[in-house]
Amino acid sequence: YLNSSHMLRAHTSAHQSEFIRSGLDAFLVLGDVYRRDSVDRTHYPCFHQMEGVRLFSAAELLPDHVHPPSLFAENAAETPEMQLTHNAVAVKLLEEDLKTTLEGLVRHLFGSDIETEWSSEYFPFTHPSWELNVFFRGQWLEVLGSGLIRQEILCNAGASSKIGWAFGVGLERLAMILYDIPDIRIFWSSYHRFLDQFQEAAKDINKEVKFVPWSNHALIYMDISFWSREGKDFSEENDFMEICREEAGDLIEWMEKIDYYENPKAKPGDDKFSSYCYRLNYRHPFKNLSMAEVNEFQTKIRERVKKNLRVTLR
Protein backbone atom coordinates (compact mmCIF):
# COMPACT_ATOMS: atom_id res chain seq x y z
CA TYR A 1 0.00 0.00 0.00
CA LEU A 2 1.55 3.29 -1.07
CA ASN A 3 0.86 6.79 -2.31
CA SER A 4 3.14 9.51 -3.70
CA SER A 5 5.00 9.99 -0.40
CA HIS A 6 4.45 7.00 1.90
CA MET A 7 4.47 3.21 1.83
CA LEU A 8 2.95 1.19 4.66
CA ARG A 9 5.40 -1.42 5.93
CA ALA A 10 4.77 -4.92 4.65
CA HIS A 11 6.93 -6.58 7.32
CA THR A 12 8.72 -5.79 10.57
CA SER A 13 12.05 -6.60 8.86
CA ALA A 14 12.04 -2.90 7.96
CA HIS A 15 13.31 -2.24 11.52
CA GLN A 16 16.10 -4.83 11.61
CA SER A 17 18.88 -2.52 10.50
CA GLU A 18 18.20 0.26 13.00
CA PHE A 19 18.22 -2.14 15.97
CA ILE A 20 21.35 -3.94 14.77
CA ARG A 21 23.03 -0.59 14.19
CA SER A 22 22.23 0.37 17.79
CA GLY A 23 24.33 -2.57 19.00
CA LEU A 24 21.65 -5.15 19.81
CA ASP A 25 22.49 -8.81 19.18
CA ALA A 26 19.14 -10.30 20.20
CA PHE A 27 15.73 -8.65 20.00
CA LEU A 28 12.06 -8.99 19.14
CA VAL A 29 10.08 -6.51 17.03
CA LEU A 30 6.27 -6.38 17.08
CA GLY A 31 4.10 -4.21 14.88
CA ASP A 32 1.20 -3.87 12.49
CA VAL A 33 1.99 -4.62 8.84
CA TYR A 34 0.00 -4.14 5.64
CA ARG A 35 -0.26 -6.34 2.55
CA ARG A 36 -2.45 -6.64 -0.53
CA ASP A 37 -3.26 -10.26 0.09
CA SER A 38 -5.79 -12.93 -0.79
CA VAL A 39 -9.38 -12.60 0.41
CA ASP A 40 -10.11 -15.57 2.65
CA ARG A 41 -10.61 -16.53 6.29
CA THR A 42 -6.89 -16.45 7.16
CA HIS A 43 -5.71 -13.30 5.32
CA TYR A 44 -6.41 -9.64 6.04
CA PRO A 45 -4.86 -6.44 4.63
CA CYS A 46 -3.54 -5.55 8.10
CA PHE A 47 -2.15 -7.95 10.69
CA HIS A 48 0.41 -8.02 13.50
CA GLN A 49 3.82 -9.57 13.01
CA MET A 50 6.52 -10.52 15.50
CA GLU A 51 10.09 -10.80 14.29
CA GLY A 52 13.09 -12.10 16.20
CA VAL A 53 16.81 -11.66 15.48
CA ARG A 54 19.86 -13.36 17.03
CA LEU A 55 23.43 -12.44 16.05
CA PHE A 56 26.66 -14.27 16.89
CA SER A 57 30.32 -13.37 16.92
CA ALA A 58 32.88 -16.10 16.20
CA ALA A 59 33.60 -16.44 19.93
CA GLU A 60 29.89 -16.92 20.74
CA LEU A 61 29.21 -19.41 17.96
CA LEU A 62 32.45 -21.36 18.56
CA PRO A 63 33.01 -21.06 22.35
CA ASP A 64 35.21 -24.19 22.54
CA HIS A 65 37.95 -22.61 20.42
CA VAL A 66 40.65 -20.55 22.15
CA HIS A 67 41.22 -18.83 18.83
CA PRO A 68 37.91 -19.16 16.95
CA PRO A 69 38.25 -19.55 13.19
CA SER A 70 36.67 -17.06 10.82
CA LEU A 71 32.93 -17.21 10.18
CA PHE A 72 33.50 -16.26 6.57
CA ALA A 73 34.87 -17.73 3.36
CA GLU A 74 35.16 -16.69 -0.28
CA ASN A 75 32.91 -19.19 -2.03
CA ALA A 76 32.86 -19.44 -5.80
CA ALA A 77 29.10 -19.02 -5.91
CA GLU A 78 26.04 -18.96 -3.70
CA THR A 79 24.40 -22.36 -3.27
CA PRO A 80 20.98 -23.40 -1.99
CA GLU A 81 22.65 -24.27 1.33
CA MET A 82 24.95 -21.28 1.81
CA GLN A 83 25.52 -17.59 1.08
CA LEU A 84 28.50 -16.44 -0.93
CA THR A 85 30.58 -15.26 2.05
CA HIS A 86 29.71 -17.76 4.78
CA ASN A 87 31.85 -20.56 6.21
CA ALA A 88 30.21 -24.01 5.99
CA VAL A 89 30.91 -24.92 9.64
CA ALA A 90 29.50 -21.63 10.90
CA VAL A 91 26.39 -22.02 8.75
CA LYS A 92 25.74 -25.51 10.13
CA LEU A 93 26.03 -24.31 13.73
CA LEU A 94 23.82 -21.31 13.02
CA GLU A 95 21.15 -23.48 11.41
CA GLU A 96 21.20 -25.85 14.39
CA ASP A 97 20.78 -22.97 16.84
CA LEU A 98 17.91 -21.48 14.82
CA LYS A 99 15.99 -24.74 14.54
CA THR A 100 16.58 -25.78 18.16
CA THR A 101 15.38 -22.41 19.42
CA LEU A 102 12.27 -22.22 17.24
CA GLU A 103 11.30 -25.85 17.84
CA GLY A 104 11.48 -25.00 21.54
CA LEU A 105 9.15 -22.06 20.94
CA VAL A 106 6.45 -24.15 19.21
CA ARG A 107 6.71 -26.88 21.86
CA HIS A 108 6.11 -24.25 24.51
CA LEU A 109 3.04 -23.04 22.61
CA PHE A 110 1.58 -26.31 21.34
CA GLY A 111 2.89 -28.91 23.81
CA SER A 112 6.08 -30.92 24.20
CA ASP A 113 4.84 -33.79 22.03
CA ILE A 114 4.00 -31.66 18.97
CA GLU A 115 5.30 -33.07 15.66
CA THR A 116 7.32 -30.56 13.62
CA GLU A 117 8.55 -30.37 10.03
CA TRP A 118 10.94 -27.96 8.29
CA SER A 119 10.55 -27.04 4.62
CA SER A 120 12.84 -24.93 2.44
CA GLU A 121 11.42 -21.57 1.39
CA TYR A 122 12.45 -18.28 -0.21
CA PHE A 123 12.49 -14.97 1.68
CA PRO A 124 14.29 -11.89 0.33
CA PHE A 125 16.19 -11.01 3.52
CA THR A 126 17.45 -14.49 4.49
CA HIS A 127 19.30 -17.38 2.86
CA PRO A 128 18.93 -20.27 3.29
CA SER A 129 15.34 -19.95 4.52
CA TRP A 130 12.83 -22.35 6.06
CA GLU A 131 9.23 -22.57 7.17
CA LEU A 132 8.36 -24.43 10.35
CA ASN A 133 5.17 -26.51 10.22
CA VAL A 134 3.42 -28.33 13.05
CA PHE A 135 1.04 -31.28 12.93
CA PHE A 136 -1.82 -29.97 15.04
CA ARG A 137 -5.32 -31.44 15.38
CA GLY A 138 -4.91 -33.72 12.41
CA GLN A 139 -3.32 -31.39 9.88
CA TRP A 140 -0.02 -29.73 9.00
CA LEU A 141 -0.03 -25.98 9.69
CA GLU A 142 2.52 -23.34 8.75
CA VAL A 143 3.59 -21.49 11.92
CA LEU A 144 6.54 -19.26 11.03
CA GLY A 145 9.22 -18.36 8.49
CA SER A 146 12.92 -18.10 9.26
CA GLY A 147 16.43 -18.09 7.82
CA LEU A 148 20.02 -16.89 8.04
CA ILE A 149 20.19 -13.12 7.66
CA ARG A 150 21.67 -11.85 4.41
CA GLN A 151 25.23 -10.74 5.20
CA GLU A 152 24.75 -7.54 3.19
CA ILE A 153 22.15 -6.43 5.75
CA LEU A 154 24.58 -6.95 8.64
CA CYS A 155 27.41 -5.19 6.81
CA ASN A 156 25.21 -2.18 6.04
CA ALA A 157 24.15 -2.05 9.70
CA GLY A 158 27.72 -2.04 11.04
CA ALA A 159 27.83 -5.70 12.14
CA SER A 160 30.01 -7.14 9.39
CA SER A 161 31.96 -9.37 11.82
CA LYS A 162 28.83 -11.26 12.91
CA ILE A 163 26.34 -13.66 11.39
CA GLY A 164 22.82 -14.36 12.55
CA TRP A 165 19.34 -15.71 12.04
CA ALA A 166 15.85 -14.24 12.06
CA PHE A 167 12.25 -15.44 12.17
CA GLY A 168 8.83 -13.91 11.67
CA VAL A 169 5.36 -15.02 12.76
CA GLY A 170 1.88 -13.60 12.15
CA LEU A 171 0.26 -13.23 15.56
CA GLU A 172 -3.36 -13.42 14.39
CA ARG A 173 -2.66 -16.62 12.47
CA LEU A 174 -1.00 -18.11 15.56
CA ALA A 175 -3.95 -17.12 17.78
CA MET A 176 -6.37 -18.65 15.27
CA ILE A 177 -4.58 -21.98 15.59
CA LEU A 178 -4.25 -21.90 19.37
CA TYR A 179 -7.79 -20.71 20.16
CA ASP A 180 -9.78 -22.30 17.30
CA ILE A 181 -10.79 -18.92 15.85
CA PRO A 182 -12.14 -19.65 12.34
CA ASP A 183 -12.17 -16.16 10.79
CA ILE A 184 -9.44 -13.50 10.95
CA ARG A 185 -11.98 -10.69 10.44
CA ILE A 186 -13.25 -11.15 14.00
CA PHE A 187 -9.96 -9.79 15.43
CA TRP A 188 -10.81 -6.37 14.03
CA SER A 189 -14.20 -6.14 15.69
CA SER A 190 -15.12 -4.76 19.11
CA TYR A 191 -18.02 -7.17 19.47
CA HIS A 192 -18.39 -8.09 23.15
CA ARG A 193 -19.37 -11.71 22.45
CA PHE A 194 -15.91 -12.21 20.98
CA LEU A 195 -13.86 -10.10 23.39
CA ASP A 196 -15.56 -11.40 26.55
CA GLN A 197 -14.35 -14.93 25.82
CA PHE A 198 -10.74 -13.86 26.34
CA GLN A 199 -11.05 -11.79 29.52
CA GLU A 200 -9.71 -14.59 31.72
CA ALA A 201 -6.86 -15.35 29.33
CA ALA A 202 -5.85 -11.69 29.48
CA LYS A 203 -5.40 -12.08 33.24
CA ASP A 204 -3.67 -15.47 33.08
CA ILE A 205 -1.73 -16.25 29.88
CA ASN A 206 -1.56 -19.95 30.80
CA LYS A 207 -5.33 -20.36 31.06
CA GLU A 208 -6.68 -22.56 28.27
CA VAL A 209 -9.34 -20.80 26.21
CA LYS A 210 -11.16 -22.08 23.11
CA PHE A 211 -13.29 -19.81 20.99
CA VAL A 212 -17.00 -20.62 21.07
CA PRO A 213 -18.95 -19.47 17.97
CA TRP A 214 -22.12 -17.64 18.92
CA SER A 215 -23.89 -18.09 15.59
CA ASN A 216 -23.40 -19.38 12.07
CA HIS A 217 -24.91 -16.73 9.83
CA ALA A 218 -26.06 -17.59 6.34
CA LEU A 219 -23.51 -17.63 3.52
CA ILE A 220 -24.51 -16.05 0.20
CA TYR A 221 -22.31 -16.55 -2.84
CA MET A 222 -22.25 -14.62 -6.10
CA ASP A 223 -20.15 -15.29 -9.20
CA ILE A 224 -18.47 -12.78 -11.47
CA SER A 225 -16.92 -13.77 -14.81
CA PHE A 226 -15.17 -11.80 -17.53
CA TRP A 227 -13.01 -11.96 -20.66
CA SER A 228 -9.53 -10.46 -20.52
CA ARG A 229 -7.01 -9.81 -23.29
CA GLU A 230 -3.75 -11.48 -22.36
CA GLY A 231 -1.02 -8.96 -21.58
CA LYS A 232 -3.33 -5.95 -22.00
CA ASP A 233 -6.06 -6.13 -19.36
CA PHE A 234 -6.39 -8.10 -16.14
CA SER A 235 -3.06 -9.56 -15.03
CA GLU A 236 -2.77 -9.22 -11.23
CA GLU A 237 -5.31 -11.23 -9.23
CA ASN A 238 -4.63 -9.04 -6.20
CA ASP A 239 -5.87 -5.99 -8.15
CA PHE A 240 -9.22 -7.73 -8.52
CA MET A 241 -9.31 -8.77 -4.88
CA GLU A 242 -8.46 -5.25 -3.76
CA ILE A 243 -11.47 -3.87 -5.64
CA CYS A 244 -13.68 -6.42 -3.90
CA ARG A 245 -12.27 -5.44 -0.50
CA GLU A 246 -12.76 -1.74 -1.16
CA GLU A 247 -16.38 -2.15 -2.24
CA ALA A 248 -17.59 -4.86 0.14
CA GLY A 249 -15.22 -4.37 3.06
CA ASP A 250 -15.17 -7.33 5.44
CA LEU A 251 -18.42 -8.80 4.15
CA ILE A 252 -16.65 -11.14 1.72
CA GLU A 253 -15.50 -14.07 3.81
CA TRP A 254 -13.44 -15.59 1.02
CA MET A 255 -13.01 -15.64 -2.75
CA GLU A 256 -11.95 -18.38 -5.11
CA LYS A 257 -11.30 -18.77 -8.82
CA ILE A 258 -13.71 -21.49 -9.94
CA ASP A 259 -13.12 -21.46 -13.69
CA TYR A 260 -10.52 -20.41 -16.24
CA TYR A 261 -10.05 -21.17 -19.93
CA GLU A 262 -8.50 -19.67 -23.04
CA ASN A 263 -10.49 -18.89 -26.18
CA PRO A 264 -9.76 -21.82 -28.55
CA LYS A 265 -11.04 -19.90 -31.61
CA ALA A 266 -8.39 -17.18 -31.55
CA LYS A 267 -6.68 -16.74 -34.93
CA PRO A 268 -2.93 -16.09 -35.37
CA GLY A 269 -2.24 -12.41 -34.84
CA ASP A 270 -5.51 -11.79 -32.97
CA ASP A 271 -5.63 -10.75 -29.33
CA LYS A 272 -5.62 -13.79 -27.08
CA PHE A 273 -8.65 -13.78 -24.75
CA SER A 274 -8.95 -15.70 -21.49
CA SER A 275 -12.06 -16.25 -19.40
CA TYR A 276 -12.04 -15.97 -15.61
CA CYS A 277 -14.79 -16.79 -13.14
CA TYR A 278 -14.56 -16.00 -9.42
CA ARG A 279 -16.95 -16.92 -6.63
CA LEU A 280 -17.43 -14.27 -3.93
CA ASN A 281 -18.69 -15.74 -0.65
CA TYR A 282 -20.50 -13.13 1.44
CA ARG A 283 -21.11 -13.55 5.17
CA HIS A 284 -21.38 -10.93 7.90
CA PRO A 285 -19.63 -12.03 11.13
CA PHE A 286 -22.46 -10.80 13.35
CA LYS A 287 -25.74 -10.84 11.40
CA ASN A 288 -27.51 -12.28 8.35
CA LEU A 289 -27.14 -10.40 5.08
CA SER A 290 -30.09 -9.89 2.77
CA MET A 291 -29.93 -10.71 -0.92
CA ALA A 292 -30.64 -7.04 -1.67
CA GLU A 293 -27.55 -5.98 0.31
CA VAL A 294 -25.37 -8.52 -1.47
CA ASN A 295 -26.71 -7.53 -4.89
CA GLU A 296 -25.84 -3.90 -4.19
CA PHE A 297 -22.22 -4.77 -3.36
CA GLN A 298 -21.96 -7.14 -6.32
CA THR A 299 -23.19 -4.45 -8.72
CA LYS A 300 -20.60 -1.97 -7.45
CA ILE A 301 -17.84 -4.56 -7.79
CA ARG A 302 -18.85 -5.38 -11.36
CA GLU A 303 -18.79 -1.69 -12.31
CA ARG A 304 -15.36 -1.15 -10.76
CA VAL A 305 -13.92 -4.31 -12.33
CA LYS A 306 -15.11 -3.29 -15.78
CA LYS A 307 -13.75 0.26 -15.43
CA ASN A 308 -10.46 -0.34 -13.61
CA LEU A 309 -9.34 -3.67 -15.08
CA ARG A 310 -10.63 -2.99 -18.61
CA VAL A 311 -12.23 -6.42 -18.96
CA THR A 312 -15.41 -7.54 -20.71
CA LEU A 313 -17.99 -8.77 -18.22
CA ARG A 314 -19.90 -11.91 -19.05
Side-chain angles (χ1 to χ4, degrees), residues 6 41 62 74 160 169 171 207 211-212 222 226 273 292:
H6 292 82
R41 298 184 186 95
L62 303 161
E74 293 185 6
S160 59
V169 57
L171 297 181
K207 184 176 180 63
F211 173 69
V212 179
M222 302 284 280
F226 50 83
F273 282 82

Side-chain angles (χ1 to χ4, degrees), residues 82-248:
M82 192 163 51
Q83 294 180 38
L84 190 63
T85 59
H86 284 172
N87 175 287
V89 174
V91 166
K92 188 63 177 177
L93 291 171
L94 200 60
E95 178 183 343
E96 290 176 359
D97 187 80
L98 177 154
K99 292 183 175 180
T100 299
T101 302
L102 297 182
E103 285 175 1
L105 171 63
V106 298
R107 289 195 175 95
H108 175 73
L109 292 172
F110 294 95
S112 59
D113 59 345
I114 191 71
E115 187 178 352
T116 61
E117 176 185 76
W118 291 94
S119 58
S120 296
E121 189 51 79
Y122 168 80
F123 300 116
F125 305 115
T126 57
H127 182 77
S129 304
W130 305 274
E131 282 183 346
L132 177 55
N133 308 295
V134 299
F135 193 73
F136 189 64
R137 294 178 185 154
Q139 60 180 326
W140 284 102
L141 301 170
E142 172 199 334
V143 177
L144 56 83
S146 64
L148 309 191
I149 301 171
R150 284 281 181 186
Q151 198 61 32
E152 302 95 308
I153 295 174
L154 299 182
C155 291
N156 292 336
S160 59
S161 63
K162 299 178 179 180
I163 59 175
W165 54 259
F167 77 92
V169 57
L171 297 181
E172 282 87 352
R173 184 82 63 86
L174 192 59
M176 291 175 73
I177 296 171
L178 291 171
Y179 300 124
D180 285 342
I181 299 172
D183 192 335
I184 195 171
R185 297 175 300 169
I186 304 175
F187 286 100
W188 299 91
S189 76
S190 56
Y191 194 44
H192 71 90
R193 296 180 72 175
F194 173 65
L195 298 178
D196 289 351
Q197 295 189 38
F198 298 92
Q199 293 299 316
E200 294 301 317
K203 300 174 185 176
D204 179 6
I205 196 172
N206 294 312
K207 184 176 180 63
E208 184 172 344
V209 176
K210 296 301 176 189
F211 173 69
V212 179
W214 53 84
S215 182
N216 187 19
H217 299 292
L219 177 75
I220 300 176
Y221 70 83
M222 302 284 280
D223 294 345
I224 179 171
S225 58
F226 50 83
W227 287 104
S228 173
R229 292 179 301 170
E230 185 174 304
K232 296 183 179 181
D233 301 324
F234 172 75
S235 59
E236 277 289 335
E237 186 173 70
N238 277 358
D239 292 339
F240 170 63
M241 292 194 171
E242 192 66 21
I243 289 174
C244 296
R245 277 199 193 278
E246 290 174 357
E247 293 298 335

